[in-house]
Amino acid sequence: MEPQAQAQRVEVEVHLPPGGPLSGMAADVRAGLTRPFKELSPRYFYDERGAQLFEQITELAEYYPTRCEREILQRQAGAICDGANRPASLIELGSGSARKTRVLLDAMRDASCLQVYCPVDISEEITRDTAERIAAEYADLEVHGLVCDFELDLERIPVGGPRLIALLGGTIGNFEPQQRAGFLRRIAHLLGPEDRFLLGTDLVKDRATLEAAYNDSQGVTAEFNKNVLSVLNNELGADFDPDAFEHVARWDPENLWIDIRLRSLANQNVVVSALEMLVHFAAGEEMRTEISTKFARSGLEGIYAEAGLEMTHWFTDPEGRFALSLAKAV
């Protein structure tokens, strides 16, 4: 296809604050480091190095979610698209490189209903690259990319349907319960009668399998977790020594999540120059960097109901480790 013709089918909107995707970082980090129990937002894992490390994680033997979700999509893409009333538009929140999404796009194309793909991601470079690649692969497909924080800018996604709005990869598990509830209520408000919401969720299972997925034998997850300290060093002039912290990831059966933290190996003080802060860490003190909630079908149905959604379909891999669910607004 001629480049000019392809370019006419691609539009990318950028809705980032003046300071870029990290504009709120200073306030977030200040708040997190001054709490009695320190926390950092997982959104700051993903600089270039962090993104590379996460891609490595998805290929690790212990990390099953990506493989399981891909398997479900390959088996059930046709049913997912049929269950979504033959969607004309696929809107993918946190699209990244859209590697798994092509299975859905293929199913929509085969059903002769594919018209629009909307990748939504915080990275302008990745979104533009994804939009151009998808447009090149799918003739006549309109690609409308959105560069934004999809949680903050959810209402910017295109209207007109029927639409399939997808949040894959178990990302919903990284939301705190109150944050998750608010997000799903907004999804419910956005859905028209013919629209559907496709959600990827990791499922509750034995402790050993869960903890192994976040404590891989090669130490890639540990490196990924500690990379957030390098991001703070680069962006806020901090002087964290990543080697002075160790990666901790353990199953919390009460909250049904993997609790991911960094543990200080010694008494130490960290300077965060941009915030004019001196932060003390006691030996053994832990700082949370992420949670990864796991779900059961009955629990997710209740969460949906509280948000004004109703589950219409439930798909799992043969071993029941991961699930994709379709929901509609009620």
Side-chain angles (χ1 to χ4, degrees):
M1 176 166 296
E2 293 294 329
Q4 184 176 0
Q6 178 179 316
Q8 292 175 349
R9 295 187 289 110
V10 177
E11 178 185 4
V12 177
E13 294 182 30
V14 180
H15 298 284
L16 294 176
L22 298 179
S23 62
M25 185 180 195
D28 285 350
V29 171
R30 182 184 297 279
L33 293 182
T34 53
R35 292 174 186 149
F37 172 54
K38 299 180 180 67
E39 295 185 76
L40 294 175
S41 170
R43 72 177 59 199
Y44 303 121
F45 280 131
Y46 296 97
D47 65 347
E48 183 177 354
R49 177 60 177 155
Q52 292 171 350
L53 288 168
F54 184 73
E55 287 296 315
Q56 292 179 37
I57 288 171
T58 64
E59 301 300 326
L60 293 170
E62 298 97 331
Y63 194 79
Y64 59 85
T66 302
R67 290 191 301 276
C68 290
E69 186 175 50
R70 186 182 298 119
E71 180 180 4
I72 298 167
L73 286 169
Q74 290 169 344
R75 289 172 176 263
Q76 303 292 351
I80 289 169
C81 293
D82 179 64
N85 295 339
R86 290 171 53 83
S89 301
L90 174 60
I91 298 167
E92 185 179 11
L93 307 178
S95 52
S97 60
R99 286 195 302 171
K100 291 176 290 190
T101 315
R102 287 167 171 80
V103 181
L104 290 172
L105 293 172
D106 288 346
M108 292 169 66
R109 180 180 58 188
D110 293 345
S112 300
C113 61
L114 178 63
Q115 297 179 20
V116 179
Y117 173 57
C118 178
V120 184
D121 199 272
I122 196 71
S123 169
E124 181 173 357
E125 180 180 0
I126 291 175
T127 304
R128 290 190 183 278
D129 181 67
T130 297
E132 291 169 4
R133 288 177 181 272
I134 294 293
E137 293 174 27
Y138 295 85
D140 303 321
L141 177 65
E142 299 291 329
V143 182
H144 184 169
L146 280 177
V147 180
C148 63
D149 183 326
F150 70 79
E151 188 185 353
L152 299 178
D153 296 304
L154 188 59
E155 285 71 20
R156 293 187 183 275
I157 64 175
V159 297
R163 301 175 298 173
L164 180 62
I165 301 175
L167 179 60
L168 303 176
T171 301
I172 194 70
N174 301 137
F175 288 26
E176 297 280 352
Q178 184 175 358
Q179 176 190 18
R180 179 184 65 215
F183 174 78
L184 291 176
R185 282 194 296 269
R186 290 165 65 201
I187 287 286
H189 181 73
L190 287 173
L191 295 181
E194 295 185 314
D195 297 336
R196 294 294 182 269
F197 178 52
L198 177 65
L199 182 65
T201 49
D202 197 6
L203 301 181
V204 174
K205 56 187 67 66
D206 65 280
R207 177 191 290 267
T209 300
L210 287 167
E211 292 190 345
Y214 296 86
N215 292 285
D216 65 277
S217 58
Q218 296 181 46
V220 181
T221 310
E223 188 177 352
F224 173 72
N225 191 14
K226 291 197 284 185
N227 185 67
V228 73
L229 303 180
S230 297
V231 174
L232 267 59
N233 289 348
N234 294 333
E235 299 295 331
L236 297 177
D239 64 353
F240 282 97
D241 177 4
D243 292 334
F245 292 82
E246 65 178 345
H247 166 72
V248 178
R250 53 178 173 261
W251 172 239
D252 180 341
E254 181 176 349
N255 289 303
L256 298 181
W257 65 43
I258 291 286
D259 198 336
I260 302 168
R261 305 182 180 188
L262 290 170
R263 178 186 295 144
S264 177
L265 296 175
N267 282 302
Q268 56 180 308
N269 292 317
V270 175
V271 174
V272 186
S273 297
L275 304 181
E276 298 182 343
M277 289 179 63
L278 180 67
V279 185
H280 178 70
F281 289 86
E285 181 179 354
E286 294 180 351
M287 172 173 61
R288 177 177 289 146
T289 53
E290 187 176 36
I291 60 169
S292 184
T293 302
K294 311 306 173 185
F295 300 87
R297 178 172 183 168
S298 59
L300 185 58
E301 286 176 328
I303 290 168
Y304 275 154
E306 291 178 0
L309 294 165
E310 178 186 344
M311 186 185 296
T312 63
H313 293 75
W314 174 261
F315 308 99
T316 70
D317 62 286
E319 296 182 48
R321 294 175 293 178
F322 197 91
L324 288 172
S325 58
L326 276 169
K328 65 179 182 179
V330 294

